Amino acid sequence: WEEHEIDKISGIHNQFVFLKEPYSNNQLQPEDVHFSGLDSGDVTAIACMPLTGQKKLFGSLLIGRETPFSESEMRIFRAASNIAANAIHRANLLKQTESRMNRLMALRAIDVAITSSMDMQITLNVCLDHVVSELKADAACILLMNPVTQTLDYVAGTGFITRDIFS
């Protein structure tokens, strides 16, 4: 573990996390405890480990205690940090996969509405329901071009509290 000089204004997290390198200090001075983010005045040893995976920074783990960290404990800390980073990465991938699956299901429902209904109003309402749901919108409407008046005419909408959108 390399010894580094800490910029007390930016703190450990800001300084070492973005460099993606671990940091440890077994001789923390009492006046330095406040910039580490730890509350206890009894802390004399700290270690900070970046949480990275797939060349991406997720955050960091910071631990502090009264007794110094051994090399063996730092290896365990690194392994635990790697496990935590991998778990965060897997959770993010799961969230992305679920989001993509929901969008595919919405597209499929819209496709079914288009192919199974001759009523344009039903089809448009199904489309709007899925657009609002997937985009987490509060309101949406569909305006179609009127070739005679050269204006956009309201044909379907959801979520509007006034009728101004209709005119």
Side-chain angles (χ1 to χ4, degrees):
W1 302 94
E2 295 180 31
E3 285 295 319
H4 295 280
E5 192 65 31
I6 299 285
D7 173 7
K8 293 180 183 178
I9 295 171
S10 66
I12 294 168
H13 287 287
N14 289 332
Q15 205 161 338
F16 289 97
V17 168
F18 293 106
L19 294 174
K20 297 181 185 173
E21 62 179 81
Y23 171 78
S24 69
N25 183 342
N26 284 327
Q27 298 174 347
L28 192 64
Q29 301 301 312
E31 64 272 9
D32 295 336
V33 173
H34 72 279
F35 82 90
S36 70
L38 301 168
D39 289 335
S40 174
D42 296 335
V43 173
T44 59
I46 60 170
C48 180
M49 195 68 66
L51 299 174
T52 59
Q54 304 294 314
K55 299 180 182 176
K56 191 174 183 181
L57 177 67
F58 301 115
S60 69
L61 283 177
L62 175 70
I63 56 176
R65 66 182 193 188
E66 293 179 32
T67 59
F69 294 99
S70 69
E71 287 295 320
S72 147
E73 289 171 324
M74 289 304 292
R75 283 192 296 275
I76 292 169
F77 184 38
R78 179 179 288 226
S81 299
N82 288 338
I83 291 168
N86 285 329
I88 292 168
H89 179 66
R90 285 192 309 274
N92 287 339
L93 289 176
L94 176 62
K95 187 176 179 181
Q96 290 173 7
T97 301
E98 288 172 345
S99 176
R100 288 180 182 138
M101 184 62 165
N102 288 338
R103 288 193 177 139
L104 283 174
M105 289 179 2
L107 289 173
R108 177 66 181 138
I110 292 169
D111 182 50
V112 168
I114 290 169
T115 58
S116 65
S117 176
M118 299 303 284
D119 184 348
M120 183 172 82
Q121 199 62 45
I122 292 172
T123 301
L124 294 177
N125 286 334
V126 169
C127 289
L128 283 171
D129 288 344
H130 286 287
V131 164
V132 166
S133 173
E134 286 304 308
L135 298 178
K136 295 173 181 42
D138 295 321
C141 70
I142 297 175
L143 307 172
L144 293 179
M145 175 61 86
N146 182 328
V148 176
T149 62
Q150 292 294 304
T151 60
L152 293 173
D153 294 339
Y154 173 91
V155 290
T158 184
F160 293 97
I161 56 174
T162 68
R163 303 205 42 91
D164 293 343
I165 191 72
F166 301 130
S167 49

